Amino acid sequence: MIEKPSKLQPALLGGLVLGLGSVIPIVSYGNLCCCGWGIVGGALAAYLLIRRSPVLPISKGDGASAGAQAGVAGSLIYLIIGVPLSLLQWNSLIAQLEQRGDTLPDAATREMMTQIVATVRDHPVLIALAVWLIFAIVGIGVSALGGLIGVAIFEKRKGQQYPPEAPPSDAGFPPGYAPPGPPAGGPQHPGEAPYGASEPPTY
């Protein structure tokens, strides 16, 4: 029996696109457009899964599952690479927040920004992990949506059944049996002797 291929390799490759696309500077801006790297990673996972299954069609559920697994892989890559990079740039982030706080016209809003900056400065690891958790939840959901989109675009065998239905057989004969051919000796016409006889029978 033919089984559907494993989703592991497509999910890893899709997660690689999501994770690296989200941590590389400038490239990561693609997530500002509807979490673009999540959509791309999930769709890529679905596409690769379809390519690895030349016989069995891939369902929308399979595509969503592969996309969600790509989201998990991408979030782990972000945890390993993105969180340390964020911590290395933490002082720069705090300086940017302070500059923006100084430009606020309202005193109450500036005070609120000052409290936010103090919290960010005092708890960098906790805040970085919280940001990662939000990224993981959103990334998994968006990647699953990307998997659905990938199946809708790349799967051309929608509704196809496996194994394929056998063609209808001739009436009166079970499947696998052909109707009998003419008997040996050639066709018999009215008035001719029966097969194997030299003269017509007399009654």
Side-chain angles (χ1 to χ4, degrees):
M1 179 179 179
I2 300 178
E3 298 181 356
K4 292 183 178 180
S6 172
K7 302 180 181 70
L8 179 60
Q9 183 176 356
L12 290 178
L13 293 175
L16 187 64
V17 170
L18 168 60
L20 294 181
S22 300
V23 300
I24 297 176
I26 300 178
V27 177
S28 61
Y29 291 148
N31 281 334
L32 298 179
C33 180
C34 302
C35 302
W37 287 119
I39 297 290
V40 172
L44 176 63
Y47 170 75
L48 294 175
L49 184 63
I50 293 170
R51 291 292 301 271
R52 289 169 59 86
S53 180
V55 177
L56 296 178
I58 299 300
S59 66
K60 294 181 179 179
D62 294 328
S65 176
Q69 293 179 35
V72 172
S75 65
L76 292 177
I77 293 174
Y78 186 89
L79 176 63
I80 296 172
I81 301 177
V83 171
L85 286 177
S86 299
L87 293 176
L88 290 175
Q89 301 171 355
W90 207 253
N91 291 332
S92 175
L93 173 63
I94 293 175
Q96 292 178 8
L97 292 177
E98 289 176 341
Q99 291 177 359
R100 293 180 182 179
D102 293 339
T103 59
L104 295 175
D106 185 60
T109 306
R110 285 198 304 270
E111 179 63 24
M112 182 182 299
M113 179 62 71
T114 301
Q115 295 177 359
I116 293 175
V117 170
T119 302
V120 171
R121 182 186 294 110
D122 295 339
H123 306 283
V125 176
L126 181 61
I127 294 177
L129 291 178
V131 171
W132 167 77
L133 181 60
I134 295 173
F135 172 86
I137 295 173
V138 175
I140 293 172
V142 173
S143 297
L145 176 61
L148 289 173
I149 295 175
V151 171
I153 295 176
F154 301 114
E155 180 57 84
K156 307 302 182 182
R157 301 165 293 180
K158 300 177 180 66
Q160 176 177 324
Q161 297 182 354
Y162 188 87
E165 297 181 355
S169 59
D170 294 339
F173 297 95
Y177 292 87
Q188 180 180 2
H189 299 285
E192 292 183 353
Y195 294 101
S198 58
E199 296 180 358
T202 57
Y203 299 98

